[in-house]
């Protein structure tokens, strides 16, 4: 039986990144299944196996990175058991989430971008000044829930967050990195049940992801 041969690209199944692209020879191409197979009549030309290596490239899962929610405030404070443990005037309230794959490079990139942002108003009312320009202060609070995965079900999963030992170390290093440039860096207590009070100025809120910087 004569067959018409065509070249095609392999597309991974749902929820996978397209990190494998290759060309294969197959008979008339009918379509793609959810498992990433290409079917000709009733059989697969080649199924995708987890971790399978084709053309020297391995399928990989997406990587998560450090995230920060930055709120421009006129004042903010954090309390533990009704006792204020950190407070600032004008500056940033920062909620910081550490992922398991984060490195020192991630925290340095994120800290630099955050401190370089020009989101304070100048004399003409334009957002043209950085936190250093206005002598602003920082209140940084750990927030592992920023790494929540809400894709399945109704209960968030936090498996993408860094383990407590690593996350606390990265959090402390992030504080130290910010203290190199900002004289006043207040913070909460890692892993504690905290209550935050703030006055968001604007409101003005920005979300940074070290993987996008």
């Amino acid at each position: 039986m004569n067959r018409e041969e065509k070249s095609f690209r392999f597309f991974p199944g749902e929820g996978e990144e397209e990190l494998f692209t290759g060309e294969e020879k197959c008979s008339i191409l009918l379509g793609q299944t959810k498992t990433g197979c290409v079917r000709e009549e009733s059989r697969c030309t080649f199924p995708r196996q987890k971790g399978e290596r084709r053309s020297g490239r391995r399928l990989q899962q997406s990587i998560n990175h450090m995230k920060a929610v930055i709120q421009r405030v006129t004042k903010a404070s954090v309390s533990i058991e009704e006792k204020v443990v950190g407070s600032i005037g004008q500056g940033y309230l920062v909620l910081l989430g550490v992922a398991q794959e984060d490195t020192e490079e991630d925290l340095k990139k994120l800290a630099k971008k955050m401190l370089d942002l020009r989101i304070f108003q100048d004399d003409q009312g334009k957002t043209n000044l950085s936190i250093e320009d206005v002598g602003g202060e920082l209140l940084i609070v750990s927030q592992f829930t920023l790494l929540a995965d809400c894709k399945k079900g109704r209960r968030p999963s936090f498996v993408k967050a860094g383990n407590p030992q690593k996350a606390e170390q990265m959090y402390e290093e992030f504080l130290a990195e910010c203290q190199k440039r900002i004289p006043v860096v207040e913070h909460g207590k890692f892993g504690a049940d905290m209550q935050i009070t703030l006055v968001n100025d604007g409101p003005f809120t920005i979300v940074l992801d070290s993987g996008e910087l």
Side-chain angles (χ1 to χ4, degrees):
M1 179 176 66
N2 293 328
R3 291 185 173 184
E4 178 184 358
E5 291 191 343
K6 295 183 178 180
S7 61
F8 62 92
R9 293 181 66 171
F10 175 79
F11 294 89
E14 293 182 351
E16 298 285 343
E17 293 186 352
E18 187 187 346
L19 294 183
F20 162 71
T21 56
E23 291 191 352
E24 299 282 343
K25 294 291 185 178
C26 73
S27 300
I28 297 174
L29 178 63
L30 298 182
Q32 175 196 1
T33 71
K34 289 185 178 180
T35 58
C37 300
V38 177
R39 293 187 179 277
E40 180 207 2
E41 298 179 350
S42 62
R43 65 184 178 83
C44 292
T45 302
F46 60 88
R48 174 180 56 80
Q49 300 295 331
K50 185 176 181 180
E52 180 180 8
R53 185 180 293 275
R54 291 182 180 274
S55 301
R57 302 178 70 182
R58 181 180 293 275
L59 295 172
Q60 299 178 7
Q61 299 291 336
S62 60
I63 296 177
N64 296 282
H65 294 275
M66 186 177 291
K67 300 183 190 319
V69 176
I70 302 164
Q71 299 181 75
R72 188 182 71 181
V73 299
T74 55
K75 63 179 179 179
S77 65
V78 57
S79 301
I80 300 175
E81 297 180 350
E82 299 184 355
K83 179 180 179 181
V84 175
V85 296
S87 64
I88 62 170
Q90 182 185 37
Y92 292 157
L93 167 64
V94 182
L95 304 178
L96 183 72
V98 178
Q100 184 60 35
E101 299 89 351
D102 282 332
T103 65
E104 184 178 357
E105 180 183 3
D106 286 292
L107 73 86
K108 287 186 175 182
K109 285 195 303 183
L110 191 63
K112 183 178 187 306
K113 174 60 71 173
M114 178 182 74
L115 300 181
D116 287 345
L117 289 174
R118 298 191 300 171
I119 63 174
F120 289 92
Q121 293 183 350
D122 60 19
D123 294 337
Q124 284 72 45
K126 296 182 180 179
T127 52
N128 198 35
L129 301 176
S130 71
I131 188 170
E132 288 182 289
D133 294 332
V134 299
E137 302 170 343
L138 287 173
L139 174 57
I140 303 174
V141 179
S142 62
Q143 179 93 80
F144 75 92
T145 59
L146 293 178
L147 279 297
D149 184 349
C150 301
K151 184 176 181 180
K152 296 182 179 179
R154 296 183 297 171
R155 187 174 182 177
S157 168
F158 300 106
V159 296
K160 297 179 180 179
N163 67 64
Q165 293 76 21
K166 175 180 179 177
E168 183 173 11
Q169 178 185 350
M170 297 289 284
Y171 173 66
E172 295 292 340
E173 291 180 7
F174 187 84
L175 292 175
E177 190 69 20
C178 293
Q179 288 167 344
K180 294 177 181 178
R181 294 174 56 179
I182 305 298
V184 178
V185 179
E186 297 283 297
H187 55 85
K189 181 179 179 182
F190 185 89
D193 182 22
M194 295 173 280
Q195 292 74 48
I196 297 174
T197 302
L198 71 145
V199 177
N200 192 317
D201 182 21
F204 206 123
T205 303
I206 289 177
V207 179
L208 294 180
D209 184 321
S210 65
E212 298 175 357
L213 302 179

